[in-house]
Amino acid sequence: MPKILSNRSLKTFNTFGIDVKAKSFISITNEDDLKLVLSKNTSLPLFVLSGGSNMLLTKDVEALVIHMNIKGVTSEIKNDNEVWVTAKAGENWHDFVQLCIKNNWGGLENLSLIPGCVGSAPIQNIGAYGVELKDCFVSCKAIDKKTLKTISFDLESSQFGYRDSIFKNDAKDQYIITEVTFRLTTKNHQLKTSYGAIENQLTSKNIKSPSIEDISNAVIAIRKSKLPDPNKIGNSGSFFKNPIIEKSLYENLLKEFPEIPHYPISDTIVKVPAGWLIDKGGFKGFSMGNAAVHDKQALVLINKTGNASGIEILELAKFIQAAIQKKYSIYLEMEVNIF
Ligand code: EPU
């Protein structure tokens, strides 16, 4: 069994770069070790960590931190246009997407450059540029922390929604995802290019019949232009979810803010971009101590100096929440998990 470390700094294990300590820490590279650790640990609460890309750590973690570092990718051809690809939880998400593109497996290209690892991707049903993880999802395997049994979750039982799944609700904290299987195409790729920024990017490069690699490159370019690189400036991507509001509230807001963007969800509710609300609230580039709102995308909070505490980031987030509530009567739910 790998060594358990005490009082290990988690600074390099969370993309915000917050310097808190784990009481105990173990890096897991196979499922047998994971089960062994789970069966032996009786005293400490468990804290599962993979890419650390969707969390804000506000205090030392008084737990056994299990760093999921199980690697491996396998594939199975299903028919002349379909391959099922299984990636272990500790695979870096972007590297996995690039591997798919290299093999000409289509479906995940719009999800290029999303930070984090494969194992945490289903938890919030990662999504970007018109594609969500659930669109290619077949199933995932997860170990029940108490019984140590391996359970398989399919598309239906995963209960995916916008940045949501059973793993954030009924199954919260019960399972550790060990691998995810995707259904990808090998020939007739269903390209999603309708997102305006992708179209513009392809046009600017004069690409008329894009490959999955062209789409991936376009997404990489767009993300690089708007989103800070967590290796340089600590951040967790979108800090808030895009709020879903009553159409009546939206219509009221339209009177005062005629240019407010919106995406209809049903006859009675619409989604509005939190980035727009925060930006037009005057917060783009706004800073409080070591924490700030990114100056190119107001939905992203950053560890501006590299020395921010989790509390500082959280205080900025709460300040913004209150200001947005006051200005638009909209509650901004945090997308990032706070610990
Ligand atoms: N906008 C502004 N100012 C800003 C940011 C956005 O006015 O500072 C406006 C844009 O002009 C646009 C609208 O808000 O009209 C939406 O902006 P954008 O297309 O950049 O997308 P988003 O809603 O801000 C969402 C996801 C991102 C994902 C992009 C692209 C959420 C919470 N965020 O952002 O996901 O990359 O769409 O699909 O749904 C993430 O989850 O970490 C993430 C980055």
Side-chain angles (χ1 to χ4, degrees), residues 142-296:
I143 293 180
D144 185 314
K145 285 182 190 170
K146 286 209 178 97
T147 64
L148 307 190
K149 285 209 173 103
T150 300
I151 315 253
S152 188
F153 290 85
D154 64 8
L155 185 62
E156 200 189 336
S157 57
S158 297
Q159 298 176 12
F160 291 120
Y162 164 62
R163 295 292 190 277
D164 204 18
S165 76
I166 191 165
F167 304 106
K168 284 181 109 177
N169 297 289
D170 291 354
K172 193 172 161 58
D173 295 332
Q174 277 183 51
Y175 299 96
I176 301 180
I177 296 173
T178 53
E179 62 176 51
V180 186
T181 300
F182 300 92
R183 177 186 288 111
L184 304 175
T185 50
T186 54
K187 274 205 314 225
N188 304 323
H189 304 309
Q190 305 291 310
L191 303 182
K192 302 262 168 48
T193 57
S194 58
Y195 203 93
I198 294 187
E199 269 177 359
N200 295 342
Q201 192 68 27
L202 293 173
T203 311
S204 79
K205 296 250 180 265
N206 205 16
I207 297 172
K208 295 201 176 76
S209 4
S211 62
I212 53 173
E213 189 177 6
D214 292 328
I215 307 276
S216 172
N217 287 339
V219 168
I220 291 171
I222 300 162
R223 288 188 77 99
K224 281 193 170 162
S225 72
K226 284 190 186 176
L227 299 167
D229 176 354
N231 291 317
K232 297 188 183 126
I233 302 171
N235 76 92
S236 250
S238 304
F239 197 91
F240 301 99
K241 287 188 187 179
N242 284 333
I244 292 165
I245 60 171
E246 296 288 331
K247 204 168 173 195
S248 52
L249 172 59
Y250 166 71
E251 278 161 359
N252 263 342
L253 287 168
L254 259 188
K255 291 176 202 149
E256 203 182 334
F257 309 101
E259 74 290 14
I260 187 169
H262 79 292
Y263 320 103
I265 300 286
S266 74
D267 288 348
T268 52
I269 52 175
V270 299
K271 185 148 92 175
V272 293
W276 187 92
L277 300 172
I278 300 168
D279 184 353
K280 298 302 176 282
F283 285 108
K284 209 175 207 168
F286 174 80
S287 58
M288 252 170 72
N290 294 301
V293 178
H294 187 49
D295 58 3
K296 296 195 186 73

Side-chain angles (χ1 to χ4, degrees), residues 91-108:
E91 286 289 333
N92 171 276
W93 177 263
H94 179 65
D95 292 347
F96 170 60
V97 172
Q98 292 307 298
L99 179 87
C100 293
I101 288 163
K102 224 189 233 164
N103 283 290
N104 195 30
W105 297 331
L108 299 176

